[in-house]
Amino acid sequence: MNPVSGQKARVDETSSNSRRTALTIKSSSWFWLPPAAVLLLFANGRNAVPLAAWLAPVLLLRFVRKQRLIIGLPVAYLVCVIALRFQFRGALVGPLLYVAVTVYGTFLALPYIIDRLVSRKLDRFAAALVFPAAWAATEYLVSMAAFAGSGTSIAYSQYGDLPLLQILSVTGLWGVTFLIGWFAAVCNWVWEEGLNSRRATVGATVCVTTIAALILLGGARLTLLPPSSQTVRVASLTKKGSPWDPSDDIWERAVYRRTSKKEVDEIRQQLSTWDHKLDRVLNQKATTSEVEEIRGKFNAGNRDLLFRAEREAQAGAEVVFWAERAGQVLKQDEPALIEEGRKLAAKYQAYLGMALATWTPGRKLPLENKLVLIEPSGQIVWEYFKSYPAFEEAEVLIAKDRKVKIADTPYGRLSAIICYDADFPRLPAQAGALGTDIVLDPAGDTPAISPRHTHLASFRAIEQGFNLVRPTDYGLSAAYDYQGRQIAAADYSQARDHVMVAQVPTRGVRTIYSLLGDWFAWACIAAVALLSGKALRARRTTAGKSFVPRRTELGPEHAQAKSLQNRIRPNRNVNSSRD
């Protein structure tokens, strides 16, 4: 038998074995999809499990890398959509929910798509950076949208891990996202090449050592550099009862589904009647008696807030403020209500923050959602208007210039944001750049998004180096220092008087993130661009040549086949010269 023919036969057999190995790998990758999908359900959102956020991307990335594009990417997108639907259930309802999960499912799947298209053409060290950089860059760009801000960021899944979260003061959310993505990419590197691979071992060592070092440094910051300034007593109030009666406890119980069917039906009827009358007033179609009825209901709630604010001031609170839209008032009645607040602040020499929902009849956008800050002299320091309306609120809310306000006080520099504003890191970044010490964040949530929404706001404190106080209607009220420690909390569903009192540090710190902004996010964007360009050049270099899959994908048989092919080529040249 001709030796060359025998070698060709062995090469053909080895190539056939390589193809079978590749098919086996693609088939076995389906094994990792179910656990990836289950872990992804708990990787973020209402029931986030911090460890699941680290493990789910490892398995899903394994699946996407080992499948053909036409199969892997659509399946990954579907898994991401289903996961989002579960993670954020209750946060949105109706058609808006399905639009949101469809769009944000694309954003969640995008880093996997980029990794699949780019990493295969790069050396292993560079390839391990594609997925984390793409994930961090995608989340940053999504956070700039006016729809949901940063609310879907995987970084929020790590709430409570304060040593790790101190990296927020340097990189913002994007550093945490990068670490989770980097861990997933490196795990896949080791998975593909094995522990005997020196390159994979080095890459894994660098990744794990970096994460461990950051956690140790974060722990050192918490231990060695805790807040040491004096504190100020801050009392924050959430509203009581229903919009039409502060003594109506049935409304509060209905919010948490603690009422009978008969009581629910009664509440629905009352709410329908209330909304109808308020709409008539705003559209200037109401009778005089209807206007007076609405005014009387508003006044009852406002009197209760002023009474409780006075009680807290008497008890020694130096700053008192209300939760979002706690005070309801018609525009023509607003001056009288603010005058009552001015008298109270002057009487007790306290700062009073009146969170108002001011309704202007006849205006296309009739709602002003704002916080009016009054100083101990009784003068109005500023009015801050909510910058980012929450979903349906956009239909009625007057949006202002999205500029935070500051007030220099004996208790440090005060500023404010309102509820949903905290989902957009760029707005609190203004407070950080201005050296704010305490941020007042009146909020209003639902049981479906609480306590996560409050937890999310605490990330802004670590990022920007300010202390945060957030009273929340129908959710978790909490106060945090600038390192993310919870210093006070009150759950609306369990509290009776709906008051949270906190001793808040009067000094914040200037963080690297507050000074340099989103430098890390832009570095990730630049990295994705550079790595994509490098992969494109590599693809062009190999254009016209048959694609040879990675050794790690086909197994050692491919290397053996390639070795035999190299030995055949010289024999071919010799035979040609003899002819």
Side-chain angles (χ1 to χ4, degrees):
M1 180 178 179
N2 189 323
V4 174
S5 299
Q7 287 180 330
K8 287 182 178 179
R10 286 194 296 274
V11 169
D12 292 340
E13 182 181 356
T14 304
S15 298
S16 177
N17 291 338
S18 298
R19 286 192 293 272
R20 285 196 298 271
T21 303
L23 290 173
T24 301
I25 291 174
K26 287 180 171 60
S27 300
S28 64
S29 67
W30 286 96
F31 176 79
W32 302 110
L33 183 62
V38 172
L39 286 170
L40 202 60
L41 297 176
F42 301 96
N44 205 351
R46 287 181 63 178
N47 304 112
V49 178
L51 183 59
W54 293 83
L55 298 180
V58 175
L59 302 181
L60 188 57
L61 191 61
R62 176 72 174 175
F63 171 80
V64 173
R65 283 186 174 184
K66 299 307 175 185
Q67 282 293 329
R68 289 183 298 164
L69 281 171
I70 196 172
I71 295 177
L73 297 185
V75 171
Y77 170 74
L78 181 61
V79 168
C80 290
V81 168
I82 294 173
L84 283 170
R85 174 67 180 85
F86 178 81
Q87 292 169 356
F88 299 99
R89 64 194 185 281
L92 297 173
V93 294
L96 187 60
L97 167 64
Y98 297 99
V99 172
V101 297
T102 300
V103 173
Y104 278 83
T106 303
F107 297 142
L108 185 56
L110 186 58
Y112 296 91
I113 297 173
I114 295 173
D115 176 86
R116 182 67 170 78
L117 296 174
V118 175
S119 65
R120 295 165 66 88
K121 289 296 183 180
L122 300 173
D123 66 84
R124 283 299 195 173
F125 285 98
L129 299 177
V130 174
F131 181 67
W135 200 355
T138 300
E139 284 197 348
Y140 171 66
L141 294 175
V142 169
S143 75
M144 300 174 70
F147 178 66
S150 65
T152 57
S153 173
I154 195 69
Y156 292 125
S157 67
Q158 302 305 299
Y159 172 80
D161 189 350
L162 290 183
L164 173 65
L165 293 182
Q166 298 311 300
I167 194 178
L168 296 172
S169 65
V170 180
T171 65
L173 292 172
W174 334 119
V176 179
T177 299
F178 182 90
L179 292 177
I180 295 174
W182 191 21
F183 177 79
V186 168
C187 283
N188 274 269
W189 182 2
V190 174
W191 201 338
E192 291 167 4
E193 292 196 357
L195 292 174
N196 293 328
S197 169
R198 184 175 180 276
R199 292 186 309 168
T201 303
V202 170
T205 301
V206 171
C207 176
V208 173
T209 301
T210 301
I211 294 173
L214 290 172
I215 292 174
L216 287 173
L217 288 172
R221 182 178 189 244
L222 291 166
T223 301
L224 302 177
L225 301 171
S228 58
S229 66
Q230 294 182 337
T231 61
V232 58
R233 182 183 175 110
V234 179
S236 54
L237 315 178
T238 49
K239 60 189 175 187
K240 299 174 66 177
S242 66
W244 52 85
D245 185 358
S247 63
D248 186 1
D249 69 326
I250 297 179
W251 172 270
E252 295 180 14
R253 288 190 285 113
V255 170
Y256 293 95
R257 300 181 180 180
R258 298 171 181 170
T259 51
S260 65
K261 186 179 182 302
K262 180 180 179 181
E263 289 175 321
V264 170
D265 291 340
E266 180 183 342
I267 286 288
R268 286 175 176 169
Q269 181 61 42
Q270 290 177 337
L271 182 60
S272 176
T273 302
W274 170 261
D275 287 343
H276 175 70
K277 290 181 179 179
L278 182 58
D279 284 342
R280 285 176 55 82
V281 171
L282 297 179
N283 292 321
Q284 297 180 311
K285 297 179 180 180
T287 63
T288 302
S289 62
E290 287 175 328
V291 172
E292 289 303 316
E293 181 182 355
I294 292 293
R295 177 177 284 122
K297 302 288 189 184
F298 284 166
N299 288 341
N302 296 335
R303 283 195 300 269
D304 176 73
L305 287 166
L306 289 169
F307 170 78
R308 291 191 289 142
E310 182 173 17
R311 186 187 61 196
E312 294 305 317
Q314 287 176 334
E318 291 128 328
V319 179
V320 183
F321 72 109
W322 308 341
E324 181 185 18
R325 292 171 57 173
Q328 301 268 343
V329 64
L330 297 175
K331 186 65 176 180
Q332 58 266 39
D333 299 329
E334 183 186 74
L337 175 60
I338 293 178
E339 182 62 27
E340 291 296 316
R342 293 176 60 185
K343 292 178 180 178
L344 191 153
K347 179 178 180 180
Y348 295 99
Q349 291 295 288
Y351 285 86
L352 176 64
M354 304 177 72
L356 302 179
T358 300
W359 299 94
T360 304
R363 184 181 287 177
K364 182 179 180 181
L365 297 175
L367 175 62
E368 294 177 2
N369 186 344
K370 61 187 179 182
L371 181 68
V372 181
L373 183 65
I374 302 172
E375 63 184 6
S377 67
Q379 298 301 309
I380 296 175
V381 183
W382 41 249
E383 293 184 350
Y384 171 75
F385 290 78
K386 187 176 184 178
S387 297
Y388 291 94
F391 307 113
E392 70 279 355
E393 192 179 37
E395 299 175 4
V396 294
L397 182 67
I398 300 172
K400 295 292 183 176
D401 57 0
R402 294 181 178 173
K403 298 290 185 182
V404 301
K405 309 293 176 60
I406 59 171
D408 290 316
T409 77
Y411 316 116
R413 179 167 288 182
L414 302 186
S415 189
I417 55 177
I418 296 178
C419 195
Y420 197 45
D421 293 345
D423 287 39
F424 298 82
R426 288 179 299 161
L427 187 69
Q430 297 178 31
L434 293 170
T436 299
D437 298 300
I438 301 175
V439 168
L440 311 179
D441 181 19
D445 286 342
T446 66
I449 61 175
S450 182
R452 184 179 184 272
H453 211 205
T454 297
H455 295 167
L456 176 156
S458 72
F459 282 54
R460 306 291 86 83
I462 305 173
E463 290 169 353
Q464 300 300 332
F466 53 64
N467 306 288
L468 180 80
V469 186
R470 181 182 173 102
T472 307
D473 279 334
Y474 312 121
L476 176 68
S477 298
Y480 297 91
D481 68 21
Y482 60 75
Q483 292 181 335
R485 295 182 188 85
Q486 183 175 286
I487 54 181
D491 190 330
Y492 190 93
S493 66
Q494 299 175 0
R496 283 190 171 185
D497 201 35
H498 302 307
V499 176
M500 179 182 71
V501 178
Q503 294 291 341
V504 182
T506 56
R507 294 293 178 265
V509 294
R510 294 304 303 275
T511 64
I512 294 175
Y513 185 60
S514 70
L515 293 170
L516 300 183
D518 292 308
W519 68 273
F520 188 81
W522 285 107
C524 289
I525 292 172
V528 172
L530 291 173
L531 293 171
S532 298
K534 185 178 179 180
L536 183 60
R537 288 193 298 271
R539 187 179 297 275
R540 287 175 177 173
T541 301
T542 57
K545 299 181 181 180
S546 59
F547 173 69
V548 180
R550 282 181 176 171
R551 176 179 177 180
T552 54
E553 294 178 359
L554 299 181
E557 294 89 347
H558 168 65
Q560 187 178 3
K562 187 173 182 180
S563 176
L564 288 171
Q565 286 176 331
N566 291 336
R567 277 187 278 168
I568 289 172
R569 289 192 184 101
N571 293 333
R572 284 180 174 173
N573 293 336
V574 171
N575 292 336
S576 298
S577 62
R578 287 176 181 175
D579 292 340

